[in-house]
């Protein structure tokens, strides 16, 4: 079973079981996406969010978590196509899709242990969105060890 198919599964245990058998999440391969979406933070793997989430995000770049991340229309459309084509599959509230990976159930579950807190304090990690602070090879899609 593919990790991407279960990222947003309504149940909590299914994605964990699936993830245990997967060693990586497909990394971003498009240079334009790497550049434009990797400027302020790691270019997040599209499989972490479903298409509806990416569409909403790309339609609201003028206010992107308080930042202006606007792009010209051509660039915006190209990036959206890539994100949507490689999006995670799973059911989601289409009217109000999640925009944060860090707020998904499986993410919260994986990151509530003491180990995360210890690493966060030790490495002075400001936000859990800074995947690479704890997962060295996050941009290559590896999240299993630190
Ligand atoms: C001008 C800086 C900037 C650019 C450019 C930018 N972002 Fe962001 N992004 C942010 C900030 C700031 C946050 C919030 C980070 C936090 O809460 O720690 C964020 C958060 C996110 C999150 C949610 C992370 C979480 O909490 O799970 C996603 C997904 C995301 N960005 C995708 C993108 C995509 C896709 C692009 C390219 C179209 C992009 N970003 C370009 C600044 C930027
Ligand atoms: C403060 C440190 C920290 C940050 C920041 C962090 N993680 Fe983690 N993450 C961990 C720890 C610790 C674990 C659980 C131990 C393990 O399995 O490596 C974990 C587990 C995971 C797992 C499950 C790995 C598996 O195979 O069991 C995934 C997937 C993951 N993180 C993705 C992310 C993503 C995506 C981000 C950024 C949006 C992120 N993490 C940010 C520390 C962190």
């Amino acid at each position: 079973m593919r990790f991407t198919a279960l990222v947003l599964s309504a149940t909590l245990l299914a994605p964990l079981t699936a993830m245990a058998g997967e060693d990586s999440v497909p990394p971003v391969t498009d240079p334009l996406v790497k550049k434009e979406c990797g400027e302020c933070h790691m270019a997040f793997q599209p499989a972490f969010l479903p298409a509806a989430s990416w569409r909403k995000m790309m339609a609201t770049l003028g206010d992107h978590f308080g930042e202006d991340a606007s792009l010209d229309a051509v660039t915006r459309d190209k990036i959206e196509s890539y994100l949507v084509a490689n999006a995670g599959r799973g059911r989601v509230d289409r009217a109000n899709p999640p925009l944060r990976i860090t707020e998904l159930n499986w993410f919260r579950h994986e990151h509530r242990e003491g180990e995360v807190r210890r690493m966060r304090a030790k490495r002075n990690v400001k936000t859990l969105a800074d995947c690479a602070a704890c997962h060295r090879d996050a941009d290559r899609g590896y999240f299993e060890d630190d």
Side-chain angles (χ1 to χ4, degrees):
M1 233 185 283
R2 287 180 55 85
F3 168 65
T4 51
L6 291 158
V7 163
L8 287 149
S9 164
T11 62
L12 196 57
L13 291 174
L16 294 174
T17 316
M19 263 190 291
E22 281 293 323
D23 41 338
S24 73
V25 182
V28 174
T29 50
D30 187 309
L32 188 65
V33 180
K34 273 193 197 167
K35 176 172 176 284
E36 301 294 347
C37 303
E39 207 174 289
C40 306
H41 47 65
M42 174 184 98
F44 298 109
Q45 283 83 356
F48 280 131
L49 288 172
S53 299
W54 292 123
R55 287 200 185 93
K56 182 172 178 189
M57 192 174 296
M58 295 308 287
T60 54
L61 286 178
D63 182 3
H64 177 76
F65 303 94
E67 299 267 337
D68 184 355
S70 320
L71 295 166
D72 65 82
V74 175
T75 308
R76 200 205 67 87
D77 289 354
K78 279 191 191 155
I79 292 177
E80 180 173 322
S81 301
Y82 178 84
L83 295 172
V84 166
N86 295 284
R89 287 173 289 270
R91 291 229 236 111
V92 65
D93 176 2
R94 285 178 164 274
N96 191 23
L99 295 183
R100 283 188 181 273
I101 299 158
T102 51
E103 283 176 1
L104 301 177
N105 280 345
W106 71 262
F107 186 95
R108 289 179 188 272
H109 185 86
E110 280 288 334
H111 295 85
R112 69 180 180 198
E113 299 293 333
E115 175 64 9
V116 174
R117 262 197 304 279
R118 271 192 299 279
M119 280 173 93
R120 193 169 177 173
K122 200 168 142 203
R123 303 181 186 194
N124 192 20
V125 182
K126 291 189 183 61
T127 160
L128 283 180
D130 186 4
C131 319
C134 301
H135 301 285
R136 246 178 325 167
D137 291 324
D139 59 340
R140 294 200 297 124
Y142 293 96
F143 294 93
E144 273 182 352
D145 49 51
D146 58 325

